[in-house]
Amino acid sequence: MQTIPKTSTAFSSLLRADLVTQWRNRRSFVLLLLVPVIILISWKGIVEKFGGPFALSSCITIGLVAIGLMGYSNSVARDRDKGIFQRLRVAPMPAWCIMASRLLIQLIMIALLVAIIFVAGNNIDHITLSPFGYIVSFLAAIIGGAVYLGLGQLIVGLIQNPETVNSTSRLTYFLFIMIGMFGELGVLGDQLKKIVLWSPYGTVKRIIAAGMQPGTWNSEMTLALLVTIGYATLFSLIGIKKFKWNNK
Amino acid sequence: MNQLIVMSTNNHILQVQGLNIYYGNFQAVRNVSFDVLRGEIFGLLGPNGAGKTSTLSAIEGLLKPQSGSIVVAGNDIHKKPLQAKAAIGVQLQATSFQSELTVSEILQLYAGIYGVPMSREKLFYILTNIKLDEAAGKKFGQLSGGQQQRLSLAIAVLHEPELVLLDEPTSGLDPQSRRQLWERMEGMREKGHSVLLTTHSMEEAEAVCDRIAIIDHGRLIAIDAPHSLVDSNKTNPEVIAASRRGRITLEDVFIGLTGKAIRS
């Protein structure tokens, strides 16, 4: 006699397997976390000139872009290509479990990233925030992470081939970081600076930076938060709608 | 508490009725109907692109047909997908497990997903049974094709399903592995499980299938026991024309009914 397994049991098994898989891919896992830390360490001058929140929020944003665009989208594209999702979908388990497990892993990665940046910022650059600042900026990073996970979902929704997903996500990552960082500093002109401020890079970075100093939060930051949520919703909805479990 | 599934009281483990599947304007499956009985090995044969995998994918719940119904162990696959899927064990055409996980970890993962308690002893028993006890710590990506196939089949039957779906299970296997797989299929039948397999091998269909259905251009063109199909088509001129050795074989019937043209 057959029984339907409990969703919680199936989900926890899947989550454990996804965690092991993530751990075994340590090299990319470490790279995703290490790059923002290296940037933070090499940015002594920036910290002195623009302040700790600017440096920390920039590094967290760079890490979030990497997690969403390179970590999430590439692992989904690769597993879809191998038929791993199809094998899981024929099991008596709701399909949302498959993606929920993946997203939970990315949330753990985001939490790790933020914690590492805070610890590095404190130990190397002596940047300290108020307890409330740590909490608000952590929550802002989670919301910001949703934008880039949504963007990663959009890429795997629109592109089937894993190699094309890989090259597209790398190119998007590079463009986001270069245009975001230099655009924000005004190096690329005032017009682009305004665009960058309201781009996914700018809004995410600004709400994280404002979250680090909750006293500086104003109506423009609330608007930036709403725009951030809008980006996350838009990218995710299109990405989910266009997503195919199988690329055959 | 785990939820019990409503059991079908009739002798059919699978009932497919009026199945139609389209990909855009292309109709891959045309009004296909067949049943699989309890304790039966049923073969679905057809040239490349005939609609076998589309039919199987619909039974597995991987794609939604435009019309028709699929009932597994009394549960409609679209109205009660989890109940229907719990009654099915699946081996997909391409082996498809996370290459970073070891053999033991993959077995434990799917035991959790199918709600099968997996003690260390049971794990060892399964590994020994599929001759992978020494490869338990090997990652899936390091296994040979035959080992991957054995693991895939062990996972398909892990929860003792009433119906096992095998999509070209012996393609790429050496004769020893193929024979072993046939014996496993027969073992499943002896336990009362049903098997639905797709295959290109007429030898396999004749060796293990109780009944076969031939599908071509999305239509079911013949369904019967292998020897009955041969007997009933002995005088068919197209089958006689396809015969190469004077004696009519299942392959001659297949070629006679589906034509000699190579498919994509």
Side-chain angles (χ1 to χ4, degrees):
Chain A
M1 187 177 290
Q2 311 294 163
T3 56
I4 303 174
K6 283 196 287 188
T7 301
S8 58
T9 314
F11 184 73
S12 63
S13 299
L14 192 55
L15 186 61
R16 201 177 311 124
D18 284 342
L19 270 171
V20 171
T21 304
Q22 181 77 44
W23 178 246
R24 300 249 162 91
N25 283 320
R26 278 197 286 288
R27 211 185 315 163
S28 65
F29 165 80
V30 168
L31 270 176
L32 289 182
L33 298 179
L34 215 60
V35 170
V37 175
I38 292 169
I39 292 173
L40 183 65
I41 293 168
S42 60
W43 262 10
K44 286 259 182 214
I46 297 265
V47 175
E48 282 159 21
K49 195 172 175 185
F50 295 101
F54 180 92
L56 292 186
S57 61
S58 295
C59 293
I60 290 173
T61 306
I62 290 167
L64 293 178
V65 179
I67 289 170
L69 291 185
M70 302 210 289
Y72 177 73
S73 62
N74 280 324
S75 76
V76 169
R78 186 197 57 192
D79 288 354
R80 175 173 60 185
D81 189 56
K82 285 183 184 171
I84 289 167
F85 290 149
Q86 292 295 72
R87 183 62 192 82
L88 290 170
R89 283 179 68 220
V90 298
M93 167 181 69
W96 63 259
C97 287
I98 302 169
M99 280 305 169
S101 168
R102 300 286 167 129
L103 289 172
L104 203 53
I105 300 291
Q106 301 309 318
L107 285 179
I108 294 169
M109 288 284 290
I110 290 170
L112 258 174
L113 166 80
V114 175
I116 289 171
I117 295 287
F118 283 158
V119 170
N122 188 279
N123 289 345
I124 298 159
D125 294 317
H126 310 292
I127 304 166
T128 51
L129 308 174
S130 67
F132 193 49
Y134 280 118
I135 294 168
V136 176
S137 53
F138 178 77
L139 292 175
I142 298 288
I143 296 168
V147 173
Y148 296 108
L149 290 175
L151 196 55
Q153 182 67 37
L154 182 68
I155 290 173
V156 287
L158 295 176
I159 302 167
Q160 300 292 309
N161 184 293
E163 279 84 30
T164 316
V165 167
N166 185 20
S167 53
T168 306
S169 58
R170 279 172 197 277
L171 183 67
T172 313
Y173 171 78
F174 182 74
L175 288 175
F176 259 81
I177 302 305
M178 298 317 279
I179 296 176
M181 269 171 35
F182 291 113
E184 189 192 20
L185 294 171
V187 178
L188 304 173
D190 286 346
Q191 195 64 33
L192 203 64
K193 184 176 178 176
K194 278 182 194 161
I195 292 170
V196 167
L197 285 180
W198 293 101
S199 71
Y201 179 91
T203 56
V204 168
K205 189 190 162 304
R206 285 159 76 206
I207 61 166
I208 295 171
M212 288 175 187
Q213 299 162 297
T216 64
W217 192 280
N218 54 24
S219 58
E220 195 177 322
M221 286 309 109
T222 305
L223 189 59
L225 175 65
L226 291 175
V227 172
T228 302
I229 294 170
Y231 280 133
T233 311
L234 180 71
F235 294 154
S236 305
L237 284 179
I238 299 172
I240 291 167
K241 193 172 164 52
K242 295 283 178 187
F243 184 73
K244 288 195 177 86
W245 289 99
N246 182 10
N247 64 356
K248 299 287 184 297
Chain B
M1 252 205 29
N2 287 343
Q3 192 183 337
L4 287 176
I5 294 168
V6 178
M7 298 285 290
S8 168
T9 49
N10 66 27
N11 198 30
H12 297 100
I13 188 66
L14 172 69
Q15 293 164 291
V16 178
Q17 286 296 320
L19 195 66
N20 284 292
I21 299 170
Y22 288 82
Y23 298 109
N25 291 326
F26 174 70
Q27 189 168 7
V29 176
R30 297 162 188 264
N31 201 29
V32 164
S33 301
F34 65 92
D35 298 327
V36 176
L37 304 174
R38 289 183 186 276
E40 177 180 50
I41 301 180
F42 188 94
L44 200 54
L45 279 66
N48 289 335
K52 303 185 298 292
T53 299
S54 295
T55 303
L56 213 56
S57 296
I59 297 167
E60 291 159 354
L62 289 176
L63 64 86
K64 197 173 180 186
Q66 274 65 27
S67 62
S69 74
I70 297 165
V71 177
V72 182
N75 302 288
D76 187 291
I77 189 78
H78 296 293
K79 290 179 187 153
K80 294 179 178 175
L82 298 187
Q83 287 90 332
K85 285 177 181 179
I88 299 175
V90 177
Q91 184 184 31
L92 297 174
Q93 203 173 87
T95 44
S96 43
F97 301 110
Q98 291 88 328
S99 52
E100 296 88 353
L101 296 181
T102 65
V103 171
S104 296
E105 286 164 348
I106 292 170
L107 276 166
Q108 281 164 335
L109 163 64
Y110 280 89
I113 287 175
Y114 283 100
V116 178
M118 182 64 74
S119 62
R120 198 173 273 194
E121 291 74 27
K122 186 167 182 179
L123 180 66
F124 182 71
Y125 172 77
I126 294 170
L127 289 169
T128 310
N129 196 27
I130 56 173
K131 296 186 172 54
L132 285 179
D133 45 329
E134 285 177 13
K138 267 192 179 178
K139 289 180 185 167
F140 182 72
Q142 298 170 327
L143 300 180
S144 70
Q147 287 175 321
Q148 290 186 350
Q149 204 80 332
R150 294 207 295 277
L151 176 63
S152 183
L153 187 65
I155 287 167
V157 298
L158 198 61
H159 59 300
E160 298 277 324
E162 294 174 80
L163 174 66
V164 183
L165 306 176
L166 308 173
D167 198 359
E168 297 183 19
T170 54
S171 65
L173 292 187
D174 60 30
Q176 286 84 355
S177 305
R178 199 174 50 174
R179 282 290 168 98
Q180 200 177 59
L181 186 61
W182 291 355
E183 284 167 16
R184 284 181 193 277
M185 279 191 243
E186 285 161 350
M188 288 178 214
R189 176 172 55 192
E190 281 166 23
K191 285 184 185 171
H193 302 292
S194 307
V195 178
L196 168 58
L197 77 142
T198 67
T199 182
H200 283 298
S201 164
M202 299 301 133
E203 186 193 358
E204 181 165 279
E206 278 187 308
V208 295
C209 294
D210 299 306
R211 285 192 303 148
I212 57 170
I214 298 176
I215 189 167
D216 194 23
H217 298 297
R219 289 185 203 282
L220 207 64
I221 55 172
I223 181 165
D224 213 332
H227 63 86
S228 302
L229 270 181
V230 174
D231 287 344
S232 60
N233 284 283
K234 266 181 181 166
T235 53
N236 182 333
E238 281 158 343
V239 172
I240 293 168
S243 174
R244 298 182 72 225
R245 290 176 191 149
R247 186 176 62 87
I248 303 291
T249 63
L250 186 61
E251 185 161 300
D252 299 330
V253 173
F254 181 83
I255 297 286
L257 295 179
T258 61
K260 285 184 178 174
I262 291 173
R263 309 298 169 83
S264 58

